[in-house]
């Protein structure tokens, strides 16, 4: 679970910088996740990988549709532009793979001694880009940065606050002890929480660190060649990379920051841009027929939801359940997302786990159905203890019209129940306060979010939403029995039992519904006909995806 300050940084930035748009036509998808026809995607259609490359490429122009990174410092990497780039520069102790599994990385192995003690064997053959050796001092200092308020880590929060000590326990051995049991902790070693940077360079650069002037010094497969602020960010292949099995096939990665949908579509079709993750929704109709390349749709851990603030009639779980049952989520998936999303069955996106597969599949099947059911919705309203004549006001960033279309569907659903739900557009610059300022949230009954799980662990995500004072608990939900269940699950070393406990938590979450889950968007990837190889899955947010990129046969 992340603290409020870190969750704010990621989600607010996404919503204020988002470039999604809406066109009226229905969606496009295709065989094996490729966009070749007009039928909606199904979960089983989604890809993990794209076809393997056949050779090397001198240079690739890749777009960042959410704009230019604000920093290359991994502890400031908490949004799409930053993570997409930093994942190829600064490496964590462990590495998430395209299928969301976790493997050793800068740590050659790890051992879970107990839910409160984790031991990592650190590689002794890793060098930074300047040729100097990565030391245990660099590793320990990097992990402890998050606890130093002067560093201003966006990842500071429950995970890092729970660290009791980070100590060298052998020549190349690291032991992390926690204040309280947390079996989700190890998963966070694939994120910037576990990223290692050179201590000396960080101290030398001071306030310039992470900027075009100061940059960073890391160990990854690419290094920073040049950053022309506002124009391009160029990465160069690290030929001395310690992991020769993942040596990039691309010599130079040129990142562009085109955010206008029409310009993105045009540049992709003409070949000026070779590829992009997070393809804007408004670009899909144009790119689905482009002869210059292909659209791919991958497995993801993203979710679109409406978050309750705990006030007004929307503060009553019975009202939220009723509106959820009346809302046509399939229509949102088809019309707003052009068929590239699936209706949400839970607050956990489909497949958002790396253990307990059968347990979580069954838990998902046991959840109440979320298809449109007006009769059952009206039954739910009988349990409401609020004045249903009051207008429910849901905030969204006014510049993002696709949110208005989502809320229009929800408003129509509420009308059928005799409830007035009013979408309220506010400037994006002000919308970010929804995630940081309780006073700002108090003016509305709810707000919309385009969110993602930090790690593919349902317990971590639900904990953030359901635990008292959780990082994403925006409606101040609090229940002692729920808190007790969360703590019991966090302390449970057996994966099967932990998955069963998490399913219990999921049942509570879908009954209380502090967030109304709407759709699970697929990862949207475009590549020209000249290149292939990168993961299609949402793993790219932390995995060094560019190492897989190469020439297409």
């Amino acid at each position: 679970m992340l603290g409020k300050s870190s969750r704010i940084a990621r989600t607010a930035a996404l919503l204020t910088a988002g470039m999604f748009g809406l066109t009226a036509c229905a969606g496009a998808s295709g065989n094996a996740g490729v966009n070749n026809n007009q039928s909606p995607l199904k979960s089983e259609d989604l890809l993990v990988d794209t076809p393997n490359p056949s050779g090397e490429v001198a240079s690739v122009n890749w777009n960042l549709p959410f704009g230019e990174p604000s920093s290359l410092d991994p502890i400031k990497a908490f949004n799409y532009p930053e993570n997409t780039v930093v994942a190829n520069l600064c490496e964590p102790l462990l590495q998430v793979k395209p299928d969301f599994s976790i493997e050793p990385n800068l740590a050659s192995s790890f051992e879970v001694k107990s839910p409160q003690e984790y031991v990592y064997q650190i590689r002794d053959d890793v060098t930074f880009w300047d040729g100097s050796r990565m030391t245990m001092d660099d590793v320990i200092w990097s992990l402890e940065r998050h606890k130093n308020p002067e560093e201003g880590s966006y990842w500071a929060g429950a995970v890092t606050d729970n660290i009791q000590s980070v100590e060298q326990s052998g020549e190349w051995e690291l032991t992390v002890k926690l204040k309280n049991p947390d079996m989700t902790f190890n998963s966070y070693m694939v994120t910037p929480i576990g990223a290692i940077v050179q201590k000396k360079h960080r101290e030398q650069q001071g306030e310039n660190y992470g900027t075009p002037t100061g940059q960073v010094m890391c160990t990854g497969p690419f290094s920073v060649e040049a950053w022309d602020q506002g124009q391009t960010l160029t990465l160069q292949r690290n030929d001395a990379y310690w992991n020769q099995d993942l040596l990039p096939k691309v010599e130079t990665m040129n990142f562009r920051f085109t955010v206008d949908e029409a310009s993105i579509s045009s540049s992709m079709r003409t070949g000026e841009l070779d590829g992009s993750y997070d393809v804007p929704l408004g670009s899909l109709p144009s790119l689905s027929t482009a002869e210059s390349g292909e659209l791919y749709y991958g497995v993801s851990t993203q979710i679109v939801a409406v978050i309750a603030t705990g006030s007004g009639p929307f503060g009553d779980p019975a009202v939220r359940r009723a509106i959820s049952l009346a809302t046509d989520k399939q229509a949102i998936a088809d019309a707003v997302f052009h068929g590239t999303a699936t209706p949400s069955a839970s607050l956990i996106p489909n497949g958002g786990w790396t253990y307990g597969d059968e347990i979580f599949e069954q838990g998902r099947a046991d959840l109440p159905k979320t298809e449109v059911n007006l009769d059952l919705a009206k039954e739910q309203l009988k349990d409401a203890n609020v004045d249903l004549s009051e207008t429910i006001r849901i905030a969204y960033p006014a510049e993002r019209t696709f949110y208005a279309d989502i809320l229009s569907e929800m408003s129509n659903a509420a009308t059928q129940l005799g409830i007035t739900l009013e979408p309220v557009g506010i400037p994006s610059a002000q919308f970010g306060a929804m995630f940081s300022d309780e006073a700002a949230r108090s003016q509305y009954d709810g707000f919309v979010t385009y969110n993602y799980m930090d790690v593919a662990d349902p317990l971590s995500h639900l904990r953030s939403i359901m635990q008292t004072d959780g990082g994403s608990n925006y409606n101040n939900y609090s229940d002692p029995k729920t808190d007790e269940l969360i703590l019991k699950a966090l302390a449970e070393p057996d994966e099967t039992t932990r998955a069963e406990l998490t399913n219990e938590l999921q049942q509570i979450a879908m009954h209380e519904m502090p967030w109304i889950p709407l759709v699970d968007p697929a990862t949207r990837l475009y590549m020209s006909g000249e290149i292939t190889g990168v993961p299609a899955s949402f793993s790219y947010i932390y995995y060094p995806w560019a190492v897989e990129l190469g020439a297409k046969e």
Side-chain angles (χ1 to χ4, degrees), residues 336-513:
V336 181
F337 285 83
H338 303 284
T340 66
T342 55
S344 297
S346 169
L347 285 172
I348 302 300
N350 189 32
W353 50 82
T354 55
Y355 67 94
D357 190 67
E358 292 184 3
I359 303 296
F360 284 125
E361 288 284 0
Q362 186 60 54
R364 193 177 182 86
D366 291 341
L367 291 173
K369 302 305 178 185
T370 58
E371 291 87 354
V372 175
N373 188 330
L374 284 177
D375 290 336
L376 183 56
K378 292 173 181 177
E379 283 295 317
Q380 292 290 328
L381 277 185
K382 293 179 181 179
D383 294 331
N385 294 307
V386 291
D387 183 359
L388 297 179
S389 67
E390 292 184 21
T391 298
I392 296 173
R393 303 173 74 242
I394 307 295
Y396 72 95
E399 296 86 347
R400 315 302 168 214
T401 57
F402 85 105
Y403 285 122
D405 290 279
I406 290 172
L407 293 179
S408 177
E409 170 57 36
M410 184 174 281
S411 177
N412 291 337
T415 298
Q416 296 183 72
L417 301 174
I419 297 172
T420 301
L421 188 151
E422 177 188 355
V424 182
I426 59 178
S428 292
Q430 298 177 18
F431 187 80
M434 296 293 111
F435 301 90
S436 61
D437 187 350
E438 189 168 358
R441 290 195 295 273
S442 68
Q443 301 177 49
Y444 306 94
D445 302 293
F447 59 101
V448 70
T449 183
Y450 198 121
N451 215 288
Y452 61 80
M453 297 171 66
D454 296 315
V455 294
D457 188 329
L459 176 57
S460 174
H461 188 59
L462 291 175
R463 172 192 184 186
S464 180
I465 296 171
M466 300 295 293
Q467 192 172 34
T468 300
D469 295 327
S472 299
N473 185 353
Y474 298 112
N475 72 338
N476 297 317
Y477 173 81
S478 181
D479 177 69
K481 291 185 179 180
T482 301
D483 287 341
E484 182 180 349
L485 176 61
I486 291 171
L487 294 177
K488 184 177 180 181
L490 289 170
E492 177 53 61
D494 181 74
E495 290 186 343
T496 298
T497 304
R498 189 163 71 252
E500 291 170 345
L501 293 170
T502 304
N503 276 344
E504 292 182 37
L505 179 60
Q506 184 176 221
Q507 285 279 355
I508 296 171
M510 289 306 292
H511 180 76
E512 297 296 326
M513 208 168 281

Side-chain angles (χ1 to χ4, degrees), residues 119-295:
V119 178
Y120 302 91
Q121 302 300 323
I122 307 302
R123 296 187 65 93
D124 63 1
D125 59 349
V126 177
T127 58
F128 291 105
W129 302 324
D130 64 1
S132 64
R133 193 183 196 187
M134 182 187 75
T135 68
M136 288 295 291
D137 190 34
D138 293 313
V139 174
I140 293 171
W141 184 84
S142 294
L143 297 182
E144 290 184 331
R145 287 184 72 199
H146 301 282
K147 296 175 68 66
N148 182 352
E150 294 184 1
E151 288 292 294
S153 173
Y154 290 174
W155 288 86
V159 174
T160 56
D161 289 347
N162 193 33
I163 296 175
Q164 178 69 48
S165 63
V166 180
E167 297 179 348
Q168 185 171 352
S169 48
E171 184 178 6
W172 288 96
E173 182 179 273
L174 179 75
T175 297
V176 179
K177 294 183 179 180
L178 307 180
K179 300 172 185 176
N180 301 299
D182 184 0
M183 287 302 298
T184 73
F185 176 81
N186 201 52
S187 298
Y188 281 93
M189 291 300 101
V190 308
T191 74
I193 289 179
I196 307 305
V197 301
Q198 188 186 76
K199 177 183 177 182
K200 179 178 68 175
H201 180 263
R202 166 68 186 98
E203 292 176 340
Q204 288 175 343
Q205 294 303 321
E207 293 183 357
N208 289 328
Y209 191 70
T211 70
T213 302
Q215 301 183 10
V216 291
M217 181 61 64
C218 293
T219 65
F222 289 89
S223 62
V224 182
E225 180 177 286
W227 186 355
D228 183 2
Q229 194 162 23
Q231 300 298 318
T232 60
L233 172 59
T234 302
L235 307 187
Q236 183 70 32
R237 180 172 63 195
N238 175 17
D239 289 322
Y241 183 44
W242 65 270
N243 188 352
Q244 290 292 296
D245 291 338
L246 283 181
L247 189 66
K249 301 174 182 62
V250 177
E251 294 181 14
T252 305
M253 288 292 300
N254 302 302
F255 288 98
R256 308 287 180 84
F257 319 127
T258 305
V259 297
D260 177 72
E261 290 180 4
S263 297
I264 290 173
S265 300
S266 175
S267 297
M268 295 289 190
R269 293 177 71 97
T270 61
E272 181 181 348
L273 290 173
D274 297 310
S276 176
Y277 285 108
D278 312 309
V279 175
L281 292 174
S283 297
L284 297 182
S286 172
L287 294 178
S288 67
T289 59
E291 297 181 358
S292 57
E294 291 181 340
L295 283 165

